[in-house]
Amino acid sequence: MGEVVISARELSKVYGEEERYFEALKGVDLSISRGERVAIVGKSGSGKSTLMHLLALLDSATNGEVFIREQKMHAN
């Protein structure tokens, strides 16, 4: 395997609070190497778009970290 270009560790995303609490992602670990092709698949509501938004830094994770070329990133 080549250089890891994007990775996620223990990535979680929660929406709402108390009665309206919804856990969209829970503890996702991911590592994508240079030249690797990856497909994110799953049923409707499984968190695919949420994961993509977190990896693209369009949203902030409730817990966990996203790294690009081993540098910790933060969503604005």
Side-chain angles (χ1 to χ4, degrees):
M1 226 186 317
E3 169 194 14
V4 174
V5 292
I6 189 164
S7 62
R9 294 186 195 137
E10 291 294 316
L11 210 52
S12 298
K13 180 65 178 182
V14 173
Y15 294 101
E17 297 176 3
E18 298 178 18
E19 293 126 24
R20 299 179 76 78
Y21 176 91
F22 176 72
E23 199 168 39
L25 289 178
K26 183 179 180 180
V28 174
D29 292 322
L30 174 73
S31 180
I32 302 171
S33 297
R34 178 180 295 282
E36 188 174 23
R37 292 188 175 131
V38 176
I40 298 174
V41 297
K43 63 182 181 178
S44 179
S46 64
K48 299 177 304 291
S49 294
T50 299
L51 176 59
M52 293 302 295
H53 285 128
L54 296 176
L55 294 176
L57 307 176
L58 298 174
D59 197 0
S60 298
T62 304
N63 292 303
E65 303 165 318
V66 173
F67 297 85
I68 297 179
R69 291 193 171 100
E70 298 183 16
Q71 182 175 355
K72 187 175 177 179
M73 306 304 287
H74 301 279
N76 292 330

